[in-house]
Amino acid sequence: MRILRYERILFVFAALICVALASCKSEKTIIEETPPMTEQAVEKFTITETEAGKVKMVLESESAIINEDTQKAFLRLPRVKFYQDGKYASTLITESADINLETYDIAGHGKCTIDTVNNEHLQTTNLGYDAKKKIVFSKTDVTLTRDGDTVYGKGFEADTKLDKIVIKKQKIIINKNN
Amino acid sequence: AAQKISQQTVITGDSMEVRRSGDVTVSKGNSKAVNGNNVITSDNMIYNKKNSLLEASGRVKIVSVVNTKEPLEAYSSFAEYDINTEKGKLWGAKTNVKYFLSGSSAPVVLKAQEIYFNGGLETLSAFKDVEIITSSGTIFSDKAVYNKKDDTITMEKDGESLKRPTADIYYDGRKAFYEADKMIFHASSDSKKIIMTGGVSGKMEMEDKIQ
């Protein structure tokens, strides 16, 4: 009777070991099955966005790391030229940025500047570009210089030619023309 | 000496919209413009760069502190102000200017439908339903010009208008009513004086209580 009990314990013990080995093996296979992330590094990266046959935006970047999965690219020192009705409107420069390769929305990081065809200069940080609405915006401190006047604020939204700008908590310094 | 016109105007507010079409800047909410000794506050402001004109609307208040002891405060619903020449106009409901004389408890109040002013509110020209309210009486006129340099307010007929300046005066138990072609009110910190000329007429009630 005692021998029977030992055999049963031995059998259960052996079964447990088999199960443990099997799960380890499957874990290993899971690791092997994850497909490698497909990233592609590109030097001198350029994108042109058109609308109704007219150029809307031309982006040039020193380098770009394109992520096929997320359809995004991380850009270093991008320079974006905006056009309105095919005419040059302004140039946006940021330290780095992420661009959505499907919508062309841009999220600028660090210091961002916009210089317009009308000699206006806007400086802010973490600027965004909404391609569908054709607007640029930020929630951080912003400085706009135009015709000798300076406007300071916190947060802004504007079309890409800075024709119509809304600046929050503004402070405008107007210099007299004597 | 002529007041030196400040070289900068600073406008602040809750939010601002800049429009290309007319070089127009619209400031919305708690708008404030500081220009030399003048501080203008209002609900909204529009600044037009082309003609340097600032248009204020909604609870407009202008404070001018050329002499800190005698500030001048102007109130109206609307105001226009040229930031280069510092000239402007006030109009709309409850347009009035308060002039605080040092040493005097109550201010001299100038009410009118329209008040034109120049830099530092040093000269005010008031038109239509003008009232000058002081602690010792009220003067009514169609036109009044206030000149801060000599602290005078001059009232006279406005052009072809037939309405002459009238004055309701009361002090030490005396009540008087006068009418004249021209009245000049001197308001300084230590004395108040009124000079009437041209067809002066009126009546006075004097009552001395017998002790």
Side-chain angles (χ1 to χ4, degrees):
Chain A
M1 194 37 192
R2 186 173 279 162
I3 295 164
L4 201 64
R5 200 188 310 124
Y6 274 126
E7 274 173 7
R8 204 176 286 145
I9 293 168
L10 209 65
F11 174 73
V12 166
F13 189 68
L16 281 172
I17 289 170
C18 288
V19 166
L21 282 173
S23 63
C24 267
K25 212 163 135 214
S26 61
E27 237 171 49
K28 216 156 126 201
T29 51
I30 288 170
I31 291 167
E32 270 163 24
E33 274 164 25
T34 308
M37 281 250 277
T38 48
E39 278 193 352
Q40 189 189 355
V42 177
E43 292 298 318
K44 302 297 178 201
F45 176 76
T46 301
I47 281 187
T48 300
E49 180 192 10
T50 60
E51 188 176 59
K54 287 181 180 168
V55 176
K56 189 175 149 190
M57 179 265 284
V58 175
L59 179 145
E60 295 161 350
S61 176
E62 285 299 311
S63 67
I65 299 171
I66 301 168
N67 185 317
E68 299 289 350
D69 302 333
T70 60
Q71 275 299 292
K72 282 191 176 164
F74 175 78
L75 311 170
R76 205 170 57 77
L77 292 174
R79 168 189 294 267
V80 184
K81 283 188 177 170
F82 293 114
Y83 295 80
Q84 282 189 0
D85 304 326
K87 290 197 202 107
Y88 168 68
S90 62
T91 298
L92 160 66
I93 297 174
T94 73
E95 289 172 19
S96 65
D98 284 303
I99 184 169
N100 183 315
L101 297 173
E102 287 169 336
T103 63
Y104 289 148
D105 287 351
I106 297 172
H109 310 307
K111 181 182 163 190
C112 306
T113 62
I114 295 181
D115 289 280
T116 75
V117 68
N118 299 311
N119 272 323
E120 288 150 332
H121 177 74
L122 181 138
Q123 182 169 319
T124 187
T125 54
N126 305 338
L127 177 143
Y129 166 60
D130 183 317
K132 195 172 176 204
K133 292 181 186 169
K134 299 181 202 167
I135 60 166
V136 284
F137 57 89
S138 87
K139 290 194 168 68
T140 56
D141 289 341
V142 55
T143 304
L144 171 68
T145 313
R146 59 194 302 243
D147 297 344
D149 298 338
T150 308
V151 183
Y152 304 93
K154 195 166 192 68
F156 88 99
E157 183 178 302
D159 63 293
T160 55
K161 201 176 171 192
L162 305 188
D163 264 353
K164 189 179 170 192
I165 313 166
V166 176
I167 293 180
K168 299 261 191 282
K169 296 295 172 199
Q170 84 283 359
K171 175 177 180 177
I172 316 165
I173 297 181
I174 300 163
N175 291 303
K176 302 231 169 140
N177 36 7
N178 301 333
Chain B
Q3 186 208 350
K4 185 170 169 297
I5 291 184
S6 154
Q7 293 318 306
Q8 257 189 7
T9 299
V10 179
I11 302 176
T12 54
D14 289 345
S15 85
M16 173 198 90
E17 187 183 316
V18 181
R19 286 188 221 127
R20 160 76 49 233
S21 51
D23 276 313
V24 168
T25 300
V26 179
S27 174
K28 291 178 181 160
N30 299 309
S31 303
K32 177 179 177 178
V34 179
N35 175 249
N37 295 306
N38 298 336
V39 177
I40 302 171
T41 54
S42 64
D43 291 336
N44 303 305
M45 275 182 194
I46 296 177
Y47 171 62
N48 191 320
K49 187 166 180 59
K50 283 211 165 114
N51 53 19
S52 304
L53 204 60
L54 190 69
E55 294 168 35
S57 60
R59 297 181 296 174
V60 179
K61 178 180 178 182
I62 302 176
V63 176
S64 174
V65 189
V66 175
N67 172 349
T68 51
K69 285 198 214 81
E70 294 181 339
L72 213 125
E73 293 175 5
Y75 300 85
S76 67
S77 304
F78 303 96
E80 265 179 15
Y81 180 75
D82 182 318
I83 67 164
N84 276 329
T85 62
E86 291 194 20
K87 289 183 177 171
K89 172 186 172 185
L90 300 159
W91 74 96
K94 294 182 184 154
T95 297
N96 71 86
V97 174
K98 289 188 172 72
Y99 176 30
F100 295 86
L101 289 164
S102 62
S104 177
S105 57
V108 173
V109 180
L110 171 64
K111 286 186 181 177
Q113 287 189 31
E114 291 172 6
I115 297 178
Y116 296 80
F117 60 90
N118 79 331
L121 302 174
E122 296 216 316
T123 309
L124 305 173
S125 304
F127 296 91
K128 297 175 187 165
D129 303 330
V130 180
E131 288 181 37
I132 293 95
I133 303 161
T134 76
S135 51
S136 46
T138 303
I139 303 164
F140 302 90
S141 176
D142 261 359
K143 175 185 171 187
V145 174
Y146 162 75
N147 191 331
K148 191 159 191 208
K149 288 198 177 90
D150 52 18
D151 276 336
T152 61
I153 305 175
T154 305
M155 280 76 50
E156 50 196 337
K157 290 192 297 185
D158 180 17
E160 298 315 314
S161 155
L162 300 174
K163 189 178 164 200
R164 301 195 310 158
T166 59
D168 281 341
I169 297 173
Y170 31 85
Y171 61 93
D172 302 344
R174 291 178 177 76
K175 277 196 281 185
F177 171 83
Y178 294 102
E179 192 174 342
D181 289 345
K182 186 171 186 177
M183 294 185 182
I184 301 176
F185 175 72
H186 288 264
S188 63
S189 54
D190 47 15
S191 77
K192 285 190 201 128
K193 179 171 67 175
I194 187 164
I195 300 168
M196 302 182 194
T197 54
V200 182
S201 66
K203 60 178 180 168
M204 175 186 279
E205 285 176 28
M206 292 172 59
E207 186 182 352
D208 286 337
K209 292 224 169 52
I210 300 161
Q211 302 306 326

